Amino acid sequence: INYSPFSITSKFACLFILFVVVFMILLIGINHLIKSSYKKRIHELTQYLEQINSGDDVAILLKKEDSFSLLQDEMYKTVTEMKTAKDKAVNERKEYADSLANIAHQIKTPVTAISLTAQTENNKGLKKQTDRLSRLVDSLLYISKIDAGVLNLKQDTVDVYTMLELSVETVEHIIHRKNITVKLPNHSEVHFIGDL
């Protein structure tokens, strides 16, 4: 059998080149699989955060042991702490609103009694002060309703002149006492959308 050194070398070179090409294809394939797996995990974690941000009640992410496990654990801890802090803040706000409403109701009872006494005794000064106190109590009740989230503000067209006129009426006693004159030009075409 006649072996040509050229043919053995060229066969060896061809096999080596074939091996290198197959190895490169395998490396490229593995790299592509790793990248697509990373992209998928990043997409899962991003979706999880987007759902949390939109206020959805999201289930716990399934535990996967991979390069993102530490990040996932920290995300879950952070989200849990944020939910706990939010729930605590909501409860504190509700308790504050309830306390405010309770105080306002407690004040309203004696103010009403004093107002009735002022009416029967025809004491205009006392009646005026009890009316003012009553308005302050009503304001406290409004604030407590707003804080509790139970007062739905209207979205009506509000005439600015009417709003200013009503505002001046609430401080009328101070204006007269200090000899201040308030002139409101009537521009009924000026308005905004809100709750009077």
Side-chain angles (χ1 to χ4, degrees):
I1 301 175
N2 186 8
Y3 289 105
S4 164
F6 178 74
S7 65
I8 291 173
T9 308
S10 64
K11 284 180 184 178
F12 180 72
C14 285
L15 281 174
F16 181 74
I17 290 171
L18 182 64
F19 174 75
V20 169
V21 168
V22 169
F23 183 73
M24 292 299 287
I25 290 171
L26 279 172
L27 278 179
I28 291 169
I30 291 169
N31 186 33
H32 178 70
L33 284 174
I34 291 171
K35 277 187 177 178
S36 63
S37 139
Y38 280 6
K39 280 183 181 177
K40 184 180 176 191
R41 283 291 278 144
I42 290 170
H43 180 71
E44 285 173 3
L45 295 172
T46 304
Q47 270 190 320
Y48 176 70
L49 288 176
E50 285 172 354
Q51 288 174 331
I52 297 276
N53 284 337
S54 66
D56 295 343
D57 196 19
V58 184
I60 299 169
L61 283 171
L62 294 174
K63 180 77 172 160
K64 292 183 182 179
E65 290 299 326
D66 61 9
S67 306
F68 292 93
S69 297
L70 275 173
L71 175 62
Q72 181 176 322
D73 286 346
E74 288 304 314
M75 282 174 58
Y76 179 70
K77 286 179 198 171
T78 303
V79 166
T80 304
E81 287 174 11
M82 287 170 59
K83 279 186 176 180
T84 304
K86 179 187 171 191
D87 291 344
K88 184 180 177 190
V90 166
N91 287 338
E92 285 176 355
R93 185 175 177 181
K94 186 182 180 311
E95 287 172 12
Y96 169 75
D98 290 345
S99 296
L100 198 57
N102 187 27
I103 291 167
H105 282 296
Q106 294 296 329
I107 294 171
K108 198 163 183 76
T109 305
V111 167
T112 304
I114 295 169
S115 179
L116 289 172
T117 304
Q119 264 182 323
T120 54
E121 293 178 5
N122 205 16
N123 187 334
K124 290 180 183 177
L126 184 60
K127 175 76 173 102
K128 194 173 189 177
Q129 292 304 318
T130 54
D131 287 347
R132 187 167 166 238
L133 269 174
S134 188
R135 282 194 302 273
L136 289 171
V137 170
D138 289 340
S139 296
L140 277 177
L141 286 170
Y142 276 123
I143 291 169
S144 70
K145 286 179 183 176
I146 290 170
D147 276 347
V150 294
L151 180 69
N152 294 324
L153 297 174
K154 298 174 192 166
Q155 293 294 310
D156 296 329
T157 302
V158 177
D159 174 35
V160 173
Y161 176 75
T162 304
M163 181 197 66
L164 290 174
E165 202 172 42
L166 291 170
S167 299
V168 169
E169 283 177 18
T170 60
V171 291
E172 194 173 5
H173 60 285
I174 298 170
I175 291 171
H176 286 304
R177 191 173 61 225
K178 298 200 175 196
N179 294 323
I180 298 171
T181 305
V182 177
K183 292 182 181 176
L184 297 172
N186 187 353
H187 296 292
S188 57
E189 70 278 359
V190 181
H191 58 273
F192 65 93
I193 302 299
D195 191 315
L196 181 62

